[in-house]
PDB file of all heavy atoms in Angstrom:
ATOM      1  N   ASP A   1       3.914  84.705 -52.303  1.00  0.00           N
ATOM      2  CA  ASP A   1       2.717  85.536 -52.323  1.00  0.00           C
ATOM      3  C   ASP A   1       1.532  84.653 -51.960  1.00  0.00           C
ATOM      4  O   ASP A   1       1.103  83.807 -52.739  1.00  0.00           O
ATOM      5  CB  ASP A   1       2.527  86.133 -53.723  1.00  0.00           C
ATOM      6  CG  ASP A   1       1.330  87.061 -53.801  1.00  0.00           C
ATOM      7  OD1 ASP A   1       0.552  87.123 -52.826  1.00  0.00           O
ATOM      8  OD2 ASP A   1       1.157  87.714 -54.839  1.00  0.00           O
ATOM      9  N   VAL A   2       0.992  84.841 -50.768  1.00  0.00           N
ATOM     10  CA  VAL A   2      -0.069  83.966 -50.282  1.00  0.00           C
ATOM     11  C   VAL A   2      -1.326  84.092 -51.133  1.00  0.00           C
ATOM     12  O   VAL A   2      -2.061  83.127 -51.326  1.00  0.00           O
ATOM     13  CB  VAL A   2      -0.375  84.272 -48.802  1.00  0.00           C
ATOM     14  CG1 VAL A   2      -1.540  83.434 -48.297  1.00  0.00           C
ATOM     15  CG2 VAL A   2       0.857  83.998 -47.952  1.00  0.00           C
ATOM     16  N   PHE A   3      -1.586  85.269 -51.676  1.00  0.00           N
ATOM     17  CA  PHE A   3      -2.799  85.482 -52.465  1.00  0.00           C
ATOM     18  C   PHE A   3      -2.812  84.620 -53.726  1.00  0.00           C
ATOM     19  O   PHE A   3      -3.800  83.961 -54.043  1.00  0.00           O
ATOM     20  CB  PHE A   3      -2.925  86.956 -52.841  1.00  0.00           C
ATOM     21  CG  PHE A   3      -4.086  87.264 -53.742  1.00  0.00           C
ATOM     22  CD1 PHE A   3      -5.382  87.190 -53.273  1.00  0.00           C
ATOM     23  CD2 PHE A   3      -3.874  87.616 -55.062  1.00  0.00           C
ATOM     24  CE1 PHE A   3      -6.457  87.461 -54.093  1.00  0.00           C
ATOM     25  CE2 PHE A   3      -4.941  87.886 -55.903  1.00  0.00           C
ATOM     26  CZ  PHE A   3      -6.237  87.810 -55.421  1.00  0.00           C
ATOM     27  N   SER A   4      -1.699  84.604 -54.448  1.00  0.00           N
ATOM     28  CA  SER A   4      -1.636  83.877 -55.719  1.00  0.00           C
ATOM     29  C   SER A   4      -0.856  82.567 -55.631  1.00  0.00           C
ATOM     30  O   SER A   4      -0.781  81.853 -56.628  1.00  0.00           O
ATOM     31  CB  SER A   4      -1.005  84.760 -56.796  1.00  0.00           C
ATOM     32  OG  SER A   4       0.360  85.021 -56.492  1.00  0.00           O
ATOM     33  N   ARG A   5      -0.278  82.260 -54.472  1.00  0.00           N
ATOM     34  CA  ARG A   5       0.563  81.070 -54.286  1.00  0.00           C
ATOM     35  C   ARG A   5       1.815  81.122 -55.167  1.00  0.00           C
ATOM     36  O   ARG A   5       2.412  80.091 -55.463  1.00  0.00           O
ATOM     37  CB  ARG A   5      -0.214  79.780 -54.600  1.00  0.00           C
ATOM     38  CG  ARG A   5      -1.535  79.640 -53.894  1.00  0.00           C
ATOM     39  CD  ARG A   5      -1.384  79.524 -52.385  1.00  0.00           C
ATOM     40  NE  ARG A   5      -2.556  78.941 -51.781  1.00  0.00           N
ATOM     41  CZ  ARG A   5      -3.657  79.598 -51.443  1.00  0.00           C
ATOM     42  NH1 ARG A   5      -3.716  80.901 -51.673  1.00  0.00           N
ATOM     43  NH2 ARG A   5      -4.667  78.992 -50.872  1.00  0.00           N
ATOM     44  N   ARG A   6       2.217  82.273 -55.570  1.00  0.00           N
ATOM     45  CA  ARG A   6       3.351  82.408 -56.475  1.00  0.00           C
ATOM     46  C   ARG A   6       4.638  82.684 -55.695  1.00  0.00           C
ATOM     47  O   ARG A   6       4.657  83.510 -54.778  1.00  0.00           O
ATOM     48  CB  ARG A   6       3.103  83.557 -57.454  1.00  0.00           C
ATOM     49  CG  ARG A   6       4.232  83.795 -58.433  1.00  0.00           C
ATOM     50  CD  ARG A   6       3.942  85.008 -59.299  1.00  0.00           C
ATOM     51  NE  ARG A   6       5.051  85.325 -60.185  1.00  0.00           N
ATOM     52  CZ  ARG A   6       5.125  86.425 -60.923  1.00  0.00           C
ATOM     53  NH1 ARG A   6       4.134  87.298 -60.906  1.00  0.00           N
ATOM     54  NH2 ARG A   6       6.168  86.643 -61.694  1.00  0.00           N
ATOM     55  N   VAL A   7       5.707  82.010 -56.062  1.00  0.00           N
ATOM     56  CA  VAL A   7       7.021  82.300 -55.486  1.00  0.00           C
ATOM     57  C   VAL A   7       7.551  83.554 -56.165  1.00  0.00           C
ATOM     58  O   VAL A   7       7.815  83.564 -57.365  1.00  0.00           O
ATOM     59  CB  VAL A   7       7.995  81.128 -55.697  1.00  0.00           C
ATOM     60  CG1 VAL A   7       9.367  81.483 -55.134  1.00  0.00           C
ATOM     61  CG2 VAL A   7       7.462  79.870 -55.035  1.00  0.00           C
ATOM     62  N   VAL A   8       7.696  84.611 -55.411  1.00  0.00           N
ATOM     63  CA  VAL A   8       8.098  85.894 -55.993  1.00  0.00           C
ATOM     64  C   VAL A   8       9.548  86.246 -55.707  1.00  0.00           C
ATOM     65  O   VAL A   8      10.084  87.185 -56.301  1.00  0.00           O
ATOM     66  CB  VAL A   8       7.177  87.028 -55.487  1.00  0.00           C
ATOM     67  CG1 VAL A   8       5.768  86.849 -56.014  1.00  0.00           C
ATOM     68  CG2 VAL A   8       7.164  87.097 -53.965  1.00  0.00           C
ATOM     69  N   GLY A   9      10.183  85.509 -54.811  1.00  0.00           N
ATOM     70  CA  GLY A   9      11.591  85.763 -54.517  1.00  0.00           C
ATOM     71  C   GLY A   9      12.230  84.556 -53.856  1.00  0.00           C
ATOM     72  O   GLY A   9      11.592  83.883 -53.040  1.00  0.00           O
ATOM     73  N   TRP A  10      13.464  84.262 -54.227  1.00  0.00           N
ATOM     74  CA  TRP A  10      14.162  83.142 -53.611  1.00  0.00           C
ATOM     75  C   TRP A  10      15.669  83.326 -53.762  1.00  0.00           C
ATOM     76  O   TRP A  10      16.137  84.076 -54.598  1.00  0.00           O
ATOM     77  CB  TRP A  10      13.736  81.815 -54.241  1.00  0.00           C
ATOM     78  CG  TRP A  10      14.133  81.676 -55.678  1.00  0.00           C
ATOM     79  CD1 TRP A  10      13.473  82.201 -56.756  1.00  0.00           C
ATOM     80  CD2 TRP A  10      15.282  81.004 -56.192  1.00  0.00           C
ATOM     81  NE1 TRP A  10      14.144  81.894 -57.914  1.00  0.00           N
ATOM     82  CE2 TRP A  10      15.248  81.153 -57.610  1.00  0.00           C
ATOM     83  CE3 TRP A  10      16.335  80.281 -55.618  1.00  0.00           C
ATOM     84  CZ2 TRP A  10      16.228  80.605 -58.436  1.00  0.00           C
ATOM     85  CZ3 TRP A  10      17.311  79.739 -56.434  1.00  0.00           C
ATOM     86  CH2 TRP A  10      17.245  79.897 -57.822  1.00  0.00           C
ATOM     87  N   GLU A  11      16.401  82.609 -52.921  1.00  0.00           N
ATOM     88  CA  GLU A  11      17.859  82.615 -52.996  1.00  0.00           C
ATOM     89  C   GLU A  11      18.370  81.309 -52.385  1.00  0.00           C
ATOM     90  O   GLU A  11      17.723  80.735 -51.492  1.00  0.00           O
ATOM     91  CB  GLU A  11      18.447  83.815 -52.269  1.00  0.00           C
ATOM     92  CG  GLU A  11      19.955  83.940 -52.340  1.00  0.00           C
ATOM     93  CD  GLU A  11      20.475  83.918 -53.768  1.00  0.00           C
ATOM     94  OE1 GLU A  11      20.055  84.776 -54.586  1.00  0.00           O
ATOM     95  OE2 GLU A  11      21.285  83.032 -54.072  1.00  0.00           O
ATOM     96  N   LEU A  12      19.503  80.843 -52.865  1.00  0.00           N
ATOM     97  CA  LEU A  12      20.066  79.567 -52.439  1.00  0.00           C
ATOM     98  C   LEU A  12      21.482  79.791 -51.936  1.00  0.00           C
ATOM     99  O   LEU A  12      22.260  80.518 -52.548  1.00  0.00           O
ATOM    100  CB  LEU A  12      20.072  78.569 -53.603  1.00  0.00           C
ATOM    101  CG  LEU A  12      20.602  77.164 -53.327  1.00  0.00           C
ATOM    102  CD1 LEU A  12      19.687  76.444 -52.346  1.00  0.00           C
ATOM    103  CD2 LEU A  12      20.723  76.385 -54.633  1.00  0.00           C
ATOM    104  N   GLY A  13      21.812  79.164 -50.816  1.00  0.00           N
ATOM    105  CA  GLY A  13      23.149  79.292 -50.260  1.00  0.00           C
ATOM    106  C   GLY A  13      23.518  78.079 -49.436  1.00  0.00           C
ATOM    107  O   GLY A  13      22.684  77.186 -49.211  1.00  0.00           O
ATOM    108  N   GLU A  14      24.761  78.025 -48.970  1.00  0.00           N
ATOM    109  CA  GLU A  14      25.254  76.885 -48.205  1.00  0.00           C
ATOM    110  C   GLU A  14      24.915  76.985 -46.726  1.00  0.00           C
ATOM    111  O   GLU A  14      25.029  75.992 -45.994  1.00  0.00           O
ATOM    112  CB  GLU A  14      26.768  76.753 -48.379  1.00  0.00           C
ATOM    113  CG  GLU A  14      27.200  76.481 -49.820  1.00  0.00           C
ATOM    114  CD  GLU A  14      28.693  76.330 -49.958  1.00  0.00           C
ATOM    115  OE1 GLU A  14      29.393  76.455 -48.917  1.00  0.00           O
ATOM    116  OE2 GLU A  14      29.179  76.092 -51.077  1.00  0.00           O
ATOM    117  N   SER A  15      24.503  78.159 -46.259  1.00  0.00           N
ATOM    118  CA  SER A  15      24.156  78.331 -44.849  1.00  0.00           C
ATOM    119  C   SER A  15      23.035  79.358 -44.733  1.00  0.00           C
ATOM    120  O   SER A  15      22.771  80.115 -45.668  1.00  0.00           O
ATOM    121  CB  SER A  15      25.385  78.775 -44.042  1.00  0.00           C
ATOM    122  OG  SER A  15      25.844  80.043 -44.499  1.00  0.00           O
ATOM    123  N   LEU A  16      22.395  79.371 -43.571  1.00  0.00           N
ATOM    124  CA  LEU A  16      21.300  80.308 -43.337  1.00  0.00           C
ATOM    125  C   LEU A  16      21.881  81.662 -42.942  1.00  0.00           C
ATOM    126  O   LEU A  16      22.154  81.917 -41.758  1.00  0.00           O
ATOM    127  CB  LEU A  16      20.369  79.772 -42.246  1.00  0.00           C
ATOM    128  CG  LEU A  16      19.534  78.551 -42.619  1.00  0.00           C
ATOM    129  CD1 LEU A  16      18.696  78.089 -41.424  1.00  0.00           C
ATOM    130  CD2 LEU A  16      18.631  78.865 -43.800  1.00  0.00           C
ATOM    131  N   GLN A  17      22.061  82.516 -43.892  1.00  0.00           N
ATOM    132  CA  GLN A  17      22.591  83.849 -43.647  1.00  0.00           C
ATOM    133  C   GLN A  17      21.487  84.880 -43.849  1.00  0.00           C
ATOM    134  O   GLN A  17      20.554  84.679 -44.620  1.00  0.00           O
ATOM    135  CB  GLN A  17      23.744  84.149 -44.608  1.00  0.00           C
ATOM    136  CG  GLN A  17      24.856  83.129 -44.585  1.00  0.00           C
ATOM    137  CD  GLN A  17      25.882  83.383 -45.667  1.00  0.00           C
ATOM    138  OE1 GLN A  17      25.844  84.394 -46.365  1.00  0.00           O
ATOM    139  NE2 GLN A  17      26.819  82.467 -45.816  1.00  0.00           N
ATOM    140  N   THR A  18      21.635  85.999 -43.163  1.00  0.00           N
ATOM    141  CA  THR A  18      20.659  87.078 -43.332  1.00  0.00           C
ATOM    142  C   THR A  18      20.651  87.586 -44.760  1.00  0.00           C
ATOM    143  O   THR A  18      19.611  87.978 -45.294  1.00  0.00           O
ATOM    144  CB  THR A  18      20.993  88.239 -42.371  1.00  0.00           C
ATOM    145  OG1 THR A  18      21.061  87.740 -41.029  1.00  0.00           O
ATOM    146  CG2 THR A  18      19.929  89.315 -42.440  1.00  0.00           C
ATOM    147  N   SER A  19      21.808  87.560 -45.413  1.00  0.00           N
ATOM    148  CA  SER A  19      21.890  88.064 -46.777  1.00  0.00           C
ATOM    149  C   SER A  19      20.995  87.264 -47.721  1.00  0.00           C
ATOM    150  O   SER A  19      20.452  87.812 -48.686  1.00  0.00           O
ATOM    151  CB  SER A  19      23.337  88.017 -47.271  1.00  0.00           C
ATOM    152  OG  SER A  19      23.842  86.690 -47.234  1.00  0.00           O
ATOM    153  N   LEU A  20      20.810  85.966 -47.476  1.00  0.00           N
ATOM    154  CA  LEU A  20      19.938  85.157 -48.318  1.00  0.00           C
ATOM    155  C   LEU A  20      18.505  85.662 -48.252  1.00  0.00           C
ATOM    156  O   LEU A  20      17.831  85.803 -49.273  1.00  0.00           O
ATOM    157  CB  LEU A  20      19.994  83.685 -47.892  1.00  0.00           C
ATOM    158  CG  LEU A  20      21.323  82.959 -48.063  1.00  0.00           C
ATOM    159  CD1 LEU A  20      21.201  81.524 -47.575  1.00  0.00           C
ATOM    160  CD2 LEU A  20      21.761  82.989 -49.519  1.00  0.00           C
ATOM    161  N   ALA A  21      18.032  85.923 -47.042  1.00  0.00           N
ATOM    162  CA  ALA A  21      16.667  86.413 -46.881  1.00  0.00           C
ATOM    163  C   ALA A  21      16.500  87.801 -47.492  1.00  0.00           C
ATOM    164  O   ALA A  21      15.458  88.114 -48.074  1.00  0.00           O
ATOM    165  CB  ALA A  21      16.298  86.446 -45.394  1.00  0.00           C
ATOM    166  N   LEU A  22      17.543  88.635 -47.400  1.00  0.00           N
ATOM    167  CA  LEU A  22      17.458  89.979 -47.980  1.00  0.00           C
ATOM    168  C   LEU A  22      17.459  89.928 -49.501  1.00  0.00           C
ATOM    169  O   LEU A  22      16.728  90.673 -50.155  1.00  0.00           O
ATOM    170  CB  LEU A  22      18.627  90.827 -47.481  1.00  0.00           C
ATOM    171  CG  LEU A  22      18.586  91.221 -46.003  1.00  0.00           C
ATOM    172  CD1 LEU A  22      19.858  91.957 -45.608  1.00  0.00           C
ATOM    173  CD2 LEU A  22      17.369  92.094 -45.713  1.00  0.00           C
ATOM    174  N   VAL A  23      18.256  89.048 -50.083  1.00  0.00           N
ATOM    175  CA  VAL A  23      18.272  88.907 -51.540  1.00  0.00           C
ATOM    176  C   VAL A  23      16.922  88.404 -52.041  1.00  0.00           C
ATOM    177  O   VAL A  23      16.396  88.884 -53.052  1.00  0.00           O
ATOM    178  CB  VAL A  23      19.408  87.970 -51.972  1.00  0.00           C
ATOM    179  CG1 VAL A  23      19.298  87.644 -53.460  1.00  0.00           C
ATOM    180  CG2 VAL A  23      20.758  88.598 -51.682  1.00  0.00           C
ATOM    181  N   ALA A  24      16.364  87.416 -51.342  1.00  0.00           N
ATOM    182  CA  ALA A  24      15.046  86.909 -51.730  1.00  0.00           C
ATOM    183  C   ALA A  24      13.995  88.006 -51.647  1.00  0.00           C
ATOM    184  O   ALA A  24      13.127  88.123 -52.531  1.00  0.00           O
ATOM    185  CB  ALA A  24      14.667  85.736 -50.828  1.00  0.00           C
TER     186      ALA A  24
END
């Protein structure tokens, strides 16, 4: 969140998959 500098979503995986970005 650029306004508050707060991390509002994240996900960790072994490769760059689309599912990681969707989960975040």
Side-chain angles (χ1 to χ4, degrees):
D1 183 352
V2 176
F3 176 70
S4 66
R5 308 295 200 276
R6 179 184 176 189
V7 178
V8 293
W10 66 279
E11 182 54 58
L12 181 66
E14 298 181 359
S15 63
L16 290 178
Q17 305 173 7
T18 305
S19 59
L20 295 179
L22 290 175
V23 171

